Amino acid sequence: DAKTTQPPSMDCAEGRAANLPCNHSTISGNEYVYWYRQIHSQGPQYIIHGLKNNETNEMASLIITEDRKSSTLILPHATLRDTAVYYCIVSLPKWDQGGKLIFGQGTELSVKP
Amino acid sequence: EAGVTQFPSHSVIEKGQTVTLRCDPISGHDNLYWYRRVMGKEIKFLLHFVKESKQDESGMPNNRFLAERTGGTYSTLKVQPAELEDSGVYFCASSHPPGTGSEDGYTFGSGTRLTVV
């Protein structure tokens, strides 16, 4: 079973920041938080990952709470093309036991004009 | 670099027939994974190759499914005989070996949509 809990759906206005929450209260010390998204009829797409520090890349920012029990993915300026299902996944890294991904239901983000 | 390629993109077969799905990972990616989503369910892990060796096949549903990766390049997933409940989308993903490149996530293909009728 997935070790994360996410709201099933969210709406966001185009151009505004989308903040997607994720709870992972049973995360263990060596597990990372990964975010993927799946745009309709495509394969999942990697977005970002982190262990304990906040991370930022060209796609998004990841904020992880100090106790690591929750995190927030931030899309700073959402566009219509960001409409997708977003998955928060807790996993060992690839270099540790293969790091297989356990997907939950994810959050369906709808970006509206 | 070219992405992960899967084919066919769609396949419709009759119950009892055999289907073989193929995945071409990104060149140089030793790790190759198969996942699938059946109707209404979450995406589920099937198995993981490191080069030609099966590292973890704990997600394979039953012995009707056979995955191979001869030579450590492309992989095939054969379903024989196919059953109605095998319908779904089968995804392949690949990644660099640890410590030799990006430590980011996996790259997924677009999937093969399998319909068993």
Side-chain angles (χ1 to χ4, degrees), chain B residues 51-111:
Chain B
K51 296 185 180 179
E52 67 274 10
S53 299
K54 291 176 185 174
Q55 182 80 5
D56 180 355
E57 52 184 331
S58 61
M60 294 289 265
N62 52 60
N63 59 10
R64 295 186 294 103
F65 288 76
L66 175 64
E68 294 180 319
R69 192 181 183 196
T70 307
T73 55
Y74 70 90
S75 175
T76 58
L77 180 64
K78 181 191 290 188
V79 185
Q80 178 182 29
E83 298 290 345
L84 299 179
E85 64 264 26
D86 300 331
S87 296
V89 183
Y90 289 75
F91 295 105
C92 175
S94 72
S95 72
H96 283 291
T100 62
S102 168
E103 299 302 347
D104 292 344
Y106 310 120
T107 302
F108 280 81
S110 295

Side-chain angles (χ1 to χ4, degrees), chain B residues 1-5 25-27 107:
Chain B
E1 59 183 3
V4 176
T5 306
I26 292 172
S27 178
T107 302

Side-chain angles (χ1 to χ4, degrees), chain A residues 1 34 36 38 40-46 49 57 85 87 91-106, chain B residues 31 33 35 37 40-45 48 55-56 58-59 91 95-96 98-99 102-111 113:
Chain A
D1 290 347
Y34 287 85
Y36 284 77
Q38 187 177 20
H40 179 63
S41 79
Q42 297 181 20
Q45 177 190 22
Y46 165 79
H49 75 285
N57 63 20
V85 179
Y87 297 98
S91 175
L92 292 171
K94 290 180 290 182
W95 56 90
D96 188 342
Q97 301 179 39
K100 74 184 182 189
L101 304 175
I102 300 176
F103 288 82
Q105 298 279 7
Chain B
N31 291 289
Y33 306 79
Y35 288 80
R37 181 204 293 275
K41 300 289 183 64
E42 298 90 353
I43 299 172
K44 295 284 192 186
F45 167 83
H48 168 208
Q55 182 80 5
D56 180 355
S58 61
F91 295 105
S95 72
H96 283 291
S102 168
E103 299 302 347
D104 292 344
Y106 310 120
T107 302
F108 280 81
S110 295
R113 181 172 296 278

